[in-house]
Amino acid sequence: MTFQKVVQVLTVVNNFRLNSRHFIIDLHAPSPLPNILPGQFAQVLVDDSPSTFLRRPFSIHSVDFGNNTFRLLIQIKGEGTRHLSKLKPGDSLDAIYPLGNAFSLPLTKDVLLVGGGCGVAPLLFLSQFLNQNYVRPTILVGFRTKEEVSEIEAYEKYGNVLITTDDGTEGEKGLVVDHSIFQKERLPFKKIYCCGPDAMMKAVAKIARMHRIDCEVSLENTMACGFGVCLCCITPTDKGNERVCVEGPVFNESRLRW
Amino acid sequence: MTFQKVVQVLTVVNNFRLNSRHFIIDLHAPSPLPNILPGQFAQVLVDDSPSTFLRRPFSIHSVDFGNNTFRLLIQIKGEGTRHLSKLKPGDSLDAIYPLGNAFSLPLTKDVLLVGGGCGVAPLLFLSQFLNQNYVRPTILVGFRTKEEVSEIEAYEKYGNVLITTDDGTEGEKGLVVDHSIFQKERLPFKKIYCCGPDAMMKAVAKIARMHRIDCEVSLENTMACGFGVCLCCITPTDKGNERVCVEGPVFNESRLRW
Amino acid sequence: MKNLSVNIAGLHFKNPVTTASGTFGYGDEFLDFIDLSRLGGIFVKAVTGKNRDGNAYPRMAETSSGMLNSVGLQNKGIDHFCREIYPRIRHFDTHMIVNVSGSTVEEYIEVAERINELEMIPAIELNISCPNVKLGGMAFGTVPAMAAEVTSEVRKVYKKVLMVKLSPNVTSIGDLAKAVVDGGADVITLINTLLGMAIDAERRRPVLSTITGGLSGPAIKPIALRMVWQTHKAVRVPIIGLGGIMNATDAIEFILAGASAIQVGTANFIDPSVSVKIVDGIEAYLDRHKINNVSDLVGALRTE
Amino acid sequence: MKNLSVNIAGLHFKNPVTTASGTFGYGDEFLDFIDLSRLGGIFVKAVTGKNRDGNAYPRMAETSSGMLNSVGLQNKGIDHFCREIYPRIRHFDTHMIVNVSGSTVEEYIEVAERINELEMIPAIELNISCPNVKLGGMAFGTVPAMAAEVTSEVRKVYKKVLMVKLSPNVTSIGDLAKAVVDGGADVITLINTLLGMAIDAERRRPVLSTITGGLSGPAIKPIALRMVWQTHKAVRVPIIGLGGIMNATDAIEFILAGASAIQVGTANFIDPSVSVKIVDGIEAYLDRHKINNVSDLVGALRTE
Ligand SMILES: Cc1cc2nc3c(=O)[nH]c(=O)nc-3n(C[C@H](O)[C@H](O)[C@H](O)COP(=O)(O)OP(=O)(O)OC[C@H]3O[C@@H](n4cnc5c(N)ncnc54)[C@H](O)[C@@H]3O)c2cc1C
Ligand SMILES: Cc1cc2nc3c(=O)[nH]c(=O)nc-3n(C[C@H](O)[C@H](O)[C@H](O)COP(=O)(O)OP(=O)(O)OC[C@H]3O[C@@H](n4cnc5c(N)ncnc54)[C@H](O)[C@@H]3O)c2cc1C
Ligand SMILES: Cc1cc2nc3c(=O)[nH]c(=O)nc-3n(C[C@H](O)[C@H](O)[C@H](O)COP(=O)(O)O)c2cc1C
Ligand SMILES: Cc1cc2nc3c(=O)[nH]c(=O)nc-3n(C[C@H](O)[C@H](O)[C@H](O)COP(=O)(O)O)c2cc1C
Ligand code: FES
Ligand code: FES
């Protein structure tokens, strides 16, 4: 295994819908996968239509090094993701990966993972990785509605799963930050990993700060290149403007000037 | 049947290769076909890739009014035609049709049709139409090589077929104008219809003029709109610059200032 | 029911969707495809003093998300327009606006004077920006003083709504806009095409007979939007915006940037019914955003 | 074996393919993807006098066949460049050329003087055309007299090959080109980005934090080609052409229009190995057309 970034034509081995807005795509590489860590992402070339001129970034959802495949979990947003949702087994997909930094290994076993929407994508790979390092996290995942709740069994293999839905049709009702787990005076966690919409991550980071819990978030700024040369994806940090695609996407929330 | 132009989403019912460069596509309309005459064409929307921003024009190769279908014969040239060659039955295709004028009805039974390359496309429909009007034409078709000779049986239903191939692997060797039929001192035709590359049509028109035979050619200028508003497709005629997509594509060669 | 109407320099348009000169003929070529009365207006092909043959073939090159043209104002001249075309189009139930072109100030004046007499033409659009004629045209459109001059000369003879269409091939669109407003323009239309070029690498030749030509289509939309926005900041007259509009979202963007109405150009070639779809799409946008009058969106970009 | 080398103002380039400033970092981000020594040269990201944070996020908007950026010259300044970056990149086996930017003539001079001392940097490219800085930048690039002044001031202190990169946001690119040649430019690079704008219709806001930004990508290729052609007619210095080059055919088109070398910009984002593919593609073109020297193609467009 190398740490090199590659630009490669991958083969779609599987593409299935989780629900009306989300799908999972399994990709097979023509050669052994480079080393990939949880939190890293791939830049995918959609096609050559004018509205998808640039690549689209997606977190690595899980990896099967033995079979040279990895998985993406994608939410349909616009042209690009709609087109990807139609790929069939056997189709090819051009991707640059692995990109970006990764979640850091926790120095504690009291770990909470918080994900919302397609922000859950990197958390499955992270849970798996934590398990391999003898950590069994609590995993709090938020969905819009029951229909969108998915992959719970996969998460349950690696940790204790809590669910919220916006409409209360499954798990607790409300946003992830409304979950009763956060109502306690002292939270039983020393590390939080969080990924989801900006507003959600800010709310979780605020809770973490209040409770003095170390918290890492994974940002989803818009990107042109994805490998550090265009300087389009920056976020202000304690070191000035840093690139989300190289210095991130994972940042300790304490370093961000949101 | 109306004479109206329509912009319609058609369904591909068939798409098959004639040889490595040519294919035939059958299209089914959602409603009874408008009236279509031989020589008219359709403007087809390829997809929304940047290199096929504009529609592509193709002659109507044949029509089946009973089944609301018509057929295109297409030669692979660039992006657009390559993409069309991959359409599968059930796919949809957006087309504006019927466009342009048509070949005129001959005032004689001594008719010669000359086609080269994908220029044969409108001639099948024309032969069929001539037959319905009790004319059995001579049909001279030129191909690059034996492998590309195709649909001869279809033409033979409507007329007497002569063949040339550039390399002499079938029929007479050479270009269509090299065919022995043109070597006679007096040609047994009073009307020629011709469609193919510019150079070929000019050569045929020259022969026709020499023998004082009335000759209609079908031009293939590049088009933006296809229905007369952009003025991009013009050709100089005795009436000034005329639009190939409206006043043409069929012109009497005597009117052209090539 | 949403109110899609806009008032432009005293002229009432039933909606802000019009079609661009040179891309819509005289309207009648579209009768098979759409109901013209659903449009706010139609800008007909450029009319000049005398008959013009235009440039030689080839006049068109496809480019990434756009096209180049070098038609060069082919038309049969003002006499023919008044005699043959006007009677044919005067009864269309939408504003028929004539795009006026020329090679000299005198030619602009001549054409404008004649059109002033045509009862059913409520406005002209001075095309001082066509890149495809050798004399005049482009030059008028890129030098503020000349643009002001041709505008004020035409203003003297033309009594109805005077629109001036600007060229984007300039350093400062705001300066041009100010010049023609000073010259007496009631309305500014922008943008015309950007000067571009296409080369056939295999044949090592230019694709167009004229070597360069005018670029249109979605490729130029970001430039057009920027110029509409800059013009909206520079002058107070109403703006008609265009350049690469393909759908209702594009149209809304131009309106937000400051356009009181929009023109659909190259998109007509790809879908001859697109203009009417844009009318419907704007209505749907107003519904979704609970806005009653489209005019409330004009220049309503939030930049704070 | 075809001869792909070109001589530009005395500098020998192993081939005409270089990479555009701001799209290739300092080259090292591409080490995983390509062998840098296969390139004719690398134009590194703009260097200014002092550290600059650049503009606020969002800095990017995708457009039809292109993108807008408003990075705004983010870099750590000339000191940092000399100390940290130069030692890291000086051994790359290709021409490392520095893109020099500033807000004042003094700042350009300061940076150029410092780079003059760096042995392994054979040339600078004066960026008088970046649309994304408030002071200077754009202004220098659009007024011939100012463009000439900054060029001649830098010429006094910079002894190696002086390239000047022009802005396309002007009425007459030929006038600009002549001005900088008069000012002492050895080479002209063009084009930089076109000023554009993107609007999010749903949120009724500009997409970019700076409202407007620079348009790049295949959308602008026709405009870039036209400007290279016009510049080739206007001045006799070598031209480095760019703007929307995605493949070898595009590169050949620029060379035919008059460019002695080309730069690959936005295309690097879509395929980080594209520059090397373009080198191979040019070689294949020479083979197919039985041409021995790529330099025979420079300006070889047939227009008769
Ligand atoms: C590091 C990183 C990892 C990501 N991982 C995943 C993932 O695992 N699964 C997943 O589904 N998505 C992920 N995303 C987001 C994903 O890249 C976008 O949803 C996708 O690019 C949208 O493409 P589109 O063509 O469908 O939408 P577009 O047509 O491009 O856009 C549709 C709408 O979404 C908005 N939008 C698009 N991209 C972004 C963005 N990055 N930030 C904010 N708004 C945006 C647009 O402004 C527009 O309103 C990730 C993004 C980043 C930067
Ligand atoms: C009225 C009319 C009827 C036609 N009927 C048929 C038909 O029945 N069957 C058929 O196969 N083709 C027909 N054509 C030609 C067909 O439209 C083009 O081959 C097609 O548009 C090429 O599209 P593309 O995207 O594959 O090629 P592109 O990528 O657009 O072009 C590939 C190459 O072909 C050249 N080219 C493309 N179009 C033309 C043209 N119209 N004239 C000259 N050179 C051109 C380009 O310059 C380029 O070098 C017709 C054209 C017209 C105007
Ligand atoms: C084929 C063609 C012909 C045109 N003719 C004219 C014209 O006669 N007068 C004019 O003012 N503009 C003319 N234009 C410019 C358009 O009206 C419009 O300004 C330009 O195409 C940009 O808009 P678009 O991108 O929506 O097409 C023409 C454009 C095209 C493509
Ligand atoms: C993200 C980005 C950053 C850029 N930064 C610079 C820069 O620092 N200096 C400069 O002269 N040009 C800069 N440019 C302009 C490019 O060098 C180039 O001139 C322009 O993008 C057109 O070429 P292209 O279409 O091939 O990208 C930048 C372009 C992009 C897209
Ligand atoms: S996306 Fe280009 S630097 Fe991050
Ligand atoms: S293609 Fe537009 S007029 Fe003929």
Side-chain angles (χ1 to χ4, degrees), chain A residues 6-26:
Chain A
V6 294
V7 44
Q8 238 174 21
V9 178
L10 306 167
T11 308
V12 175
V13 285
N14 231 321
N15 188 354
F16 56 94
R17 282 294 175 108
L18 291 178
N19 51 60
S20 62
R21 293 196 307 150
H22 296 86
F23 61 99
I24 277 185
I25 211 161
D26 286 322

Side-chain angles (χ1 to χ4, degrees), chain A:
Chain A
M1 285 202 298
T2 67
F3 276 90
Q4 227 193 337
K5 298 191 253 301
V6 294
V7 44
Q8 238 174 21
V9 178
L10 306 167
T11 308
V12 175
V13 285
N14 231 321
N15 188 354
F16 56 94
R17 282 294 175 108
L18 291 178
N19 51 60
S20 62
R21 293 196 307 150
H22 296 86
F23 61 99
I24 277 185
I25 211 161
D26 286 322
L27 297 165
H28 180 261
S31 52
L33 293 176
N35 199 6
I36 307 176
L37 291 170
Q40 291 193 295
F41 64 97
Q43 272 278 65
V44 165
L45 195 62
V46 178
D47 63 352
D48 65 350
S49 102
S51 49
T52 51
F53 173 64
L54 299 168
R55 288 177 185 259
R56 300 293 191 258
F58 300 101
S59 303
I60 311 281
H61 185 45
S62 67
V63 185
D64 180 345
F65 288 104
N67 287 312
N68 298 338
T69 62
F70 63 88
R71 171 171 281 201
L72 306 175
L73 164 59
I74 300 180
Q75 176 179 333
I76 298 177
K77 278 268 193 119
E79 269 310 304
T81 47
R82 194 168 310 116
H83 188 279
L84 293 174
S85 75
K86 293 185 190 141
L87 288 179
K88 296 191 182 66
D91 287 347
S92 25
L93 195 66
D94 190 303
I96 310 178
Y97 70 99
L99 299 169
N101 69 353
F103 292 105
S104 67
L105 259 184
L107 305 171
T108 165
K109 303 210 171 231
D110 304 324
V111 171
L112 173 67
L113 272 49
V114 186
C118 65
V120 299
L123 299 188
L124 186 64
F125 188 14
L126 177 60
S127 325
Q128 192 180 15
F129 190 79
L130 289 172
N131 265 230
Q132 284 160 7
N133 289 277
Y134 311 106
V135 175
R136 207 178 143 79
T138 300
I139 305 169
L140 168 58
V141 280
F143 302 91
R144 286 220 296 215
T145 180
K146 185 184 174 70
E147 189 241 346
E148 299 201 344
V149 176
S150 48
E151 298 195 289
I152 299 305
E153 280 151 51
Y155 292 109
E156 279 174 342
K157 266 174 65 184
Y158 304 116
N160 176 29
V161 179
L162 308 172
I163 297 170
T164 63
T165 52
D166 296 2
D167 59 1
T169 44
E170 188 159 340
E172 293 191 15
K173 178 174 172 148
L175 306 174
V176 283
V177 284
D178 300 330
H179 194 275
S180 53
I181 201 175
F182 291 123
Q183 310 314 321
K184 301 187 185 155
E185 209 166 303
R186 288 204 41 197
L187 300 187
F189 307 112
K190 301 218 174 65
K191 180 96 188 188
I192 300 178
Y193 298 98
C194 177
C195 188
D198 260 24
M200 182 202 107
M201 292 195 289
K202 282 181 186 167
V204 170
K206 195 173 159 191
I207 293 175
R209 270 199 305 282
M210 224 163 60
H211 292 272
R212 295 170 203 274
I213 303 172
D214 198 53
C215 173
E216 291 181 15
V217 298
S218 176
L219 301 185
E220 289 198 359
N221 283 8
T222 48
M223 296 182 172
C225 70
F227 46 90
V229 296
C230 74
L231 307 187
C232 287
C233 63
I234 54 98
T235 194
T237 71
D238 55 0
K239 293 189 194 149
N241 282 334
E242 284 189 284
R243 297 167 296 184
V244 170
C245 71
V246 174
E247 282 79 44
V250 179
F251 290 92
N252 196 299
E253 67 79 23
S254 65
R255 296 194 45 234
L256 293 175
R257 305 279 168 271
W258 279 359

